[in-house]
Amino acid sequence: MSRLGIIGGSGLAKLENLKITKREMVQTPFGEPSGPLVTGMLGGHQVTFLSRHGYGHTIPPHKINYRANIWAFKELEISNIVAAAAVGGIRQDMAPGKLSVPDQIIDYTYRREGSYFDGGDSGVEHIDFTYPYSNRLRQLLISAAANADIDIADTGVYGVTEGPRLETAAEINKFERDGCTMVGMTAMPEAALARELAIDYVTCAFVVNWAAGRSETIIDMKEIEKYIQIGTKQLRELLIATLPLL
Ligand code: HPA
């Protein structure tokens, strides 16, 4: 199997303990990815890492060049990606600090370039997206979490919003009625683009706040920062436990 690709989200602009061997700025037909793809060794295994928001966290979710990012991994012949994502918790069991591998997505985004198949020379194609995540990679993460004694929710429905603003309480109520258990801004079109390029893709989400209207107080950025640190640390441990299983 090819080396693992890792997409870092908020709080994961670089992978600590990654012994870097190569940095590549990959050019794609869709422009430049968010930054260089950094290859190195993590816990004795080769991985390639990309920071979704750029290395100084300068690219907001609605401005990310998702097509260039996923294309760049394909260009480097990477066929498995674990994507990190900080999310808000909607359902009762999705409290801040919780880690999860969602199995479904509801897409509420509306102004993103979401496909490689744009008609004309690039053709018209409709991928199957019944199960948006690679079940094989999901099961690997779930097993690795069990081996490493890391608490993880093994299902979840990720509602993806356009952002960059957070939601209203009524929007979160609607998302919950729709079936969402968590809310974030980056799973789409990333997951669909990976499917279009036949890359196995999984999200590892960590909850950094209660979604709007789900706690007594309004959303506090300091609290989010705190849970980003906790989530990032857990995620790194989970990745290290996963790599030997690949
Ligand atoms: N809403 C949307 N995206 C998010 C949130 C949220 O509450 N927390 C982290 N990313």
Side-chain angles (χ1 to χ4, degrees):
M1 187 156 105
S2 74
R3 65 183 183 270
L4 183 69
I6 300 167
I7 299 179
S10 296
L12 203 63
K14 65 182 177 62
L15 256 188
E16 243 168 73
N17 302 335
L18 179 69
K19 294 194 181 60
I20 298 172
T21 52
K22 209 188 236 179
R23 256 196 188 87
E24 291 165 277
M25 199 65 218
V26 182
Q27 302 298 325
T28 83
F30 305 94
E32 288 193 353
S34 300
L37 276 79
V38 179
T39 297
M41 302 298 285
L42 183 71
H45 297 267
Q46 201 179 37
V47 300
T48 293
F49 177 80
L50 173 67
S51 171
R52 188 190 281 123
H53 297 285
Y55 287 86
H57 201 113
T58 50
I59 314 171
H62 63 295
K63 290 279 178 69
I64 290 166
N65 190 341
Y66 293 95
R67 290 195 297 185
N69 285 356
I70 298 298
W71 192 275
F73 279 104
K74 188 74 178 179
E75 197 74 31
L76 299 188
E77 296 179 355
I78 286 167
S79 50
N80 297 281
I81 295 177
V82 174
V87 296
I90 297 180
R91 209 175 55 191
Q92 270 292 303
D93 57 338
M94 296 300 285
K98 187 88 187 178
L99 209 59
S100 83
V101 273
D103 59 332
Q104 281 294 332
I105 291 175
I106 298 181
D107 186 8
Y108 301 100
T109 66
Y110 51 84
R111 52 169 177 167
R112 301 180 180 188
E113 297 285 0
S115 178
Y116 295 112
F117 302 118
D118 261 349
D121 287 347
S122 60
V124 176
E125 225 174 281
H126 305 282
I127 50 156
D128 172 71
F129 206 45
T130 312
Y131 302 104
Y133 293 112
S134 160
N135 197 42
R136 183 180 60 82
L137 285 182
R138 289 186 54 258
Q139 295 310 327
L140 275 183
L141 288 183
I142 292 163
S143 303
N147 294 345
D149 220 5
I150 297 169
D151 179 37
I152 198 163
D154 59 7
T155 54
V157 182
Y158 183 142
V160 197
T161 63
E162 185 61 38
R165 68 164 176 86
L166 296 167
E167 299 71 40
T168 66
E171 285 169 337
I172 292 299
N173 289 339
K174 167 187 147 67
F175 295 169
E176 184 161 36
R177 287 194 299 275
D178 286 352
C180 298
T181 60
M182 66 189 88
V183 59
M185 298 178 191
T186 56
M188 287 296 286
E190 209 170 79
L193 292 166
R195 179 64 54 84
E196 286 190 351
L197 296 186
I199 293 173
D200 276 14
Y201 173 97
V202 69
T203 287
C204 184
F206 49 96
V207 181
V208 296
N209 59 282
W210 281 115
R214 288 290 179 275
S215 76
E216 306 287 288
T217 54
I218 60 165
I219 297 172
D220 174 4
M221 291 303 150
K222 274 216 187 72
E223 278 290 293
I224 289 189
E225 257 319 306
K226 183 177 107 190
Y227 284 107
I228 282 180
Q229 302 300 332
I230 295 171
T232 304
K233 186 165 168 287
Q234 274 193 306
L235 183 68
R236 192 176 320 110
E237 280 168 25
L238 180 58
L239 284 171
I240 289 170
T242 304
L243 285 164
L245 306 182
L246 282 168

